[in-house]
Amino acid sequence: MKAKINRRTFLKTTLGAILASGLPAFSLPHALGKPKKAVREFRFSASPAKVNLGVGPDFVAWTYNGQVPGPEIRVREGDIIRVILKNYLPEDTTIHWHGVPVPNAMDGVPEVTQKAVMPGKTFVYEFEARPAGSYIYHSHVNYQLDQGLYGALIIEPSHSRDLHDREYTLLLEDWVMMDGGGVANTQRRPPMGMRRGMMRRQRSSGPGRTPLLEPVYDGYAINGRVYPEMNPLGVGKGDRVKLRILNASSATIYDLRLAGHALTITHVDGNPIQPVETDVLRIGMGERYDVEFVANNPGTWLLGARERGFGEGMLRIPIEYKEVRRKEPVPPIFHRGLRFATYWDFQALHPLDKSVSVPADRFYPQTLSGGMHSPFWTINGQVYPDAEHLAVREGERARIGYWNHSMMPHPMHFHGHFFKVVNPSLPYERWILKDTVIVDPMQHVEIEFLADNPGKWFHHCHNLYHMEAGMANVVAYQAD
Ligand code: C2O
Ligand code: CU
């Protein structure tokens, strides 16, 4: 008994020292006895800082703790995540836990779930890490996502059933390498029909602002490094390698391929699926894929993106076998006839729900438009914040149908919930769970969600420049 008290005192003192040092502190629940759940505490300072991506100039990005991307948060399912955010930026900020069904007050959407954190102020985010999966955290204010304010959030399963030998997190980023990051005085695609004079960009915020056009990116980075100035991913012959691929880019969808290997997709947006083998993996903004490959082809290879004419082909990272003497890595070639997995090839791995045959309680048609003769992007012709709420009641099953009437793909993201992607050729319980779904130009996609997390939930295109130009609305319901 006495020994135990001493040990406790010792641990508390140690913990106090860790806290005082300003490093991330981890409480020691077993040793300390009382709390069942481990509290994992992180201190995040949002501040401008000089960064370098390995290629290109030093520039001032907006960062968490002075680094891009921000520190990886890695916890176990069931842990309590506590992030103490201090704002050293010249404007308001927040953090959104992209994909995690957090309680509404922790969701980090200014004017919807909280008052934005003003310069000099502190805000504490705290929520349970659940369910296991690969997530992204990022600012949800203005264009801060494109200025560097994002990072990886990995929730490991509480009982590890992982069979792989190595695991890497790959956070994909699109950069404009100049002070202020993506908020640059350049543009990528002028909306058709817009006259030159109208395209002058204005930096402004608040209702009635003129939205910015997508910038021309000049740095496609993985974990803050542009190829070739990066460390290769080391593998050993015979290893089963897991990659958590997270697209934190503001406006870039990638088609990825690993030269010399097939990829097996195991999780979509953190949710397990029946494994699907593919040559090419398409990943939109806000999407996450866990993939595996078997290192059975010794050499030095590149995992890289297909070039579409905007520089995406610069996004690359070498995979290097330990046994092999380093040589020029082999790039992926995108030729016809490659396997290219789509949502419609995926099935949920462990269907939890029973089959439902009755139609959903609600149906919301959402027409996605924009890009023509207007700087705005709209849902049903509306420009957020001048957009109607989608009302549901707690416990209802709601379906949203997207009709993309534009020539751009829109990765539609819904906060606070996972949704099923409707797949008429599969039974309901096999539909995959996601939180972000790409709706391609002129295509139609439907999703369904269960209203089981009351609050006001942002729902929007995850192209940051479309979101800021109005392509968003709010799903709202109260606890019954
Ligand atoms: Cu990744 Cu509304 O967020
Ligand atoms: Cu969009």
Side-chain angles (χ1 to χ4, degrees):
M1 189 65 189
K2 194 177 178 209
K4 194 170 181 185
I5 287 164
N6 286 342
R7 182 168 159 73
R8 268 187 205 196
T9 311
F10 166 73
L11 287 167
K12 275 184 179 158
T13 311
T14 309
L15 190 61
I18 293 169
L19 279 168
S21 74
L23 294 166
F26 317 114
S27 73
L28 304 157
H30 301 299
L32 289 171
K34 262 286 130 117
K36 274 258 167 53
K37 295 178 189 299
V39 176
R40 302 285 311 274
E41 188 173 288
F42 303 86
R43 285 162 194 267
F44 276 24
S45 300
S47 65
K50 192 185 277 183
V51 301
N52 189 288
L53 306 179
V55 166
D58 288 357
F59 62 97
V60 175
W62 287 15
T63 70
Y64 295 114
N65 297 358
Q67 63 181 88
V68 290
E72 176 173 302
I73 296 179
R74 185 175 275 263
V75 298
R76 292 229 150 205
E77 187 174 35
D79 286 353
I80 302 295
I81 296 175
R82 180 186 296 152
V83 174
I84 303 169
L85 168 67
K86 179 94 200 262
N87 185 5
Y88 294 100
L89 299 168
E91 64 184 42
D92 294 359
T93 196
T94 63
I95 304 179
H96 168 59
W97 313 96
H98 177 108
V100 187
V102 298
N104 197 239
M106 294 291 118
D107 198 44
V109 182
E111 307 313 317
V112 178
T113 69
Q114 69 170 104
K115 275 256 164 282
V117 187
M118 293 191 304
K121 296 280 188 266
T122 296
F123 188 88
V124 180
Y125 291 95
E126 186 167 320
F127 55 91
E128 194 174 337
R130 183 174 298 287
S134 305
Y135 302 93
I136 297 168
Y137 64 84
H138 62 80
S139 162
H140 219 298
V141 174
N142 296 343
Y143 296 92
Q144 292 174 7
L145 170 66
D146 213 9
Q147 294 172 269
L149 290 171
Y150 51 76
L153 165 55
I154 308 298
I155 304 178
E156 296 176 340
S158 47
H159 305 287
S160 187
R161 33 193 122 82
D162 293 337
L163 299 167
H164 48 270
D165 304 298
R166 286 166 201 274
E167 178 182 321
Y168 294 103
T169 302
L170 304 182
L171 195 75
L172 316 184
E173 311 160 75
D174 50 8
W175 279 102
V176 177
M177 287 186 269
M178 59 188 293
D179 291 353
V183 185
N185 217 0
T186 52
Q187 62 176 34
R188 190 181 197 180
R189 299 178 184 91
M192 278 185 274
M194 257 182 105
R195 277 175 294 109
R196 282 264 148 206
M198 295 167 64
M199 298 192 304
R200 212 169 319 112
R201 302 160 60 95
Q202 287 173 19
R203 188 167 179 180
S204 58
S205 57
R209 64 194 160 177
T210 306
L212 300 182
L213 299 172
E214 282 177 37
V216 177
Y217 293 104
D218 56 2
Y220 291 90
I222 298 179
N223 300 337
R225 305 296 288 179
V226 172
Y227 179 76
E229 296 306 318
M230 53 179 28
N231 294 323
L233 306 180
V235 301
K237 187 166 187 297
D239 283 353
R240 179 172 288 276
V241 184
K242 177 182 176 79
L243 305 177
R244 295 178 185 261
I245 306 179
L246 289 55
N247 189 356
S249 303
S250 295
T252 312
I253 297 176
Y254 305 95
D255 290 337
L256 299 176
R257 181 172 187 215
L258 171 54
H261 302 74
L263 298 172
T264 302
I265 303 169
T266 62
H267 296 71
V268 298
D269 295 351
N271 297 293
I273 60 165
Q274 295 188 8
V276 171
E277 203 173 84
T278 191
D279 298 310
V280 184
L281 173 73
R282 183 179 193 223
I283 181 165
M285 297 79 88
E287 288 191 300
R288 292 91 62 209
Y289 283 95
D290 293 6
V291 303
E292 293 185 0
F293 67 92
V294 180
N296 55 7
N297 194 4
T300 309
W301 307 93
L302 286 179
L303 172 69
R306 184 211 306 254
E307 179 59 53
R308 291 198 131 97
F310 298 105
E312 300 92 327
M314 285 163 52
L315 186 101
R316 311 179 135 188
I317 190 166
I319 312 265
E320 193 175 271
Y321 283 67
K322 297 240 178 292
E323 300 79 1
V324 172
R325 191 146 315 152
R326 192 153 178 206
K327 49 179 183 186
E328 262 311 284
V330 179
I333 296 169
F334 295 89
H335 56 78
R336 263 170 221 276
L338 293 175
R339 286 168 301 177
F340 194 133
T342 73
Y343 301 143
W344 322 112
D345 299 317
F346 304 148
Q347 304 192 22
L349 183 62
H350 306 295
L352 297 174
D353 353 55
K354 302 224 172 63
S355 226
V356 193
S357 51
V358 292
D361 303 299
R362 306 263 178 170
F363 181 68
Y364 295 102
Q366 306 266 278
T367 300
L368 313 174
S369 323
M372 308 281 279
H373 314 290
S374 158
F376 295 103
W377 289 88
T378 60
I379 301 179
N380 294 347
Q382 298 171 337
V383 175
Y384 185 83
D386 300 319
E388 278 162 39
H389 283 191
L390 312 188
V392 293
R393 293 182 70 114
E394 189 180 21
E396 285 182 335
R397 199 155 51 83
R399 186 180 280 213
I400 296 177
Y402 300 110
W403 279 265
N404 184 351
H405 286 188
S406 78
M407 297 314 291
M408 291 276 284
H410 303 293
M412 297 303 295
H413 173 54
F414 182 34
H415 288 211
H417 304 71
F418 288 106
F419 52 70
K420 285 172 180 274
V421 180
V422 175
N423 182 345
S425 63
L426 288 179
Y428 174 88
E429 68 272 17
R430 289 282 170 193
W431 296 353
I432 54 168
L433 277 177
K434 286 185 106 281
D435 52 63
T436 309
V437 65
I438 300 175
V439 187
D440 274 312
M442 308 314 285
Q443 296 301 302
H444 170 61
V445 173
E446 297 195 352
I447 64 166
E448 259 190 40
F449 68 90
L450 184 66
D452 60 357
N453 192 8
K456 288 158 77 181
W457 298 105
F458 213 41
H459 166 238
H460 62 91
C461 174
H462 220 282
N463 179 313
L464 179 66
Y465 294 84
H466 295 181
M467 179 183 88
E468 288 294 317
M471 193 172 261
N473 54 32
V474 170
V475 174
Y477 59 100
Q478 299 172 337
D480 261 351

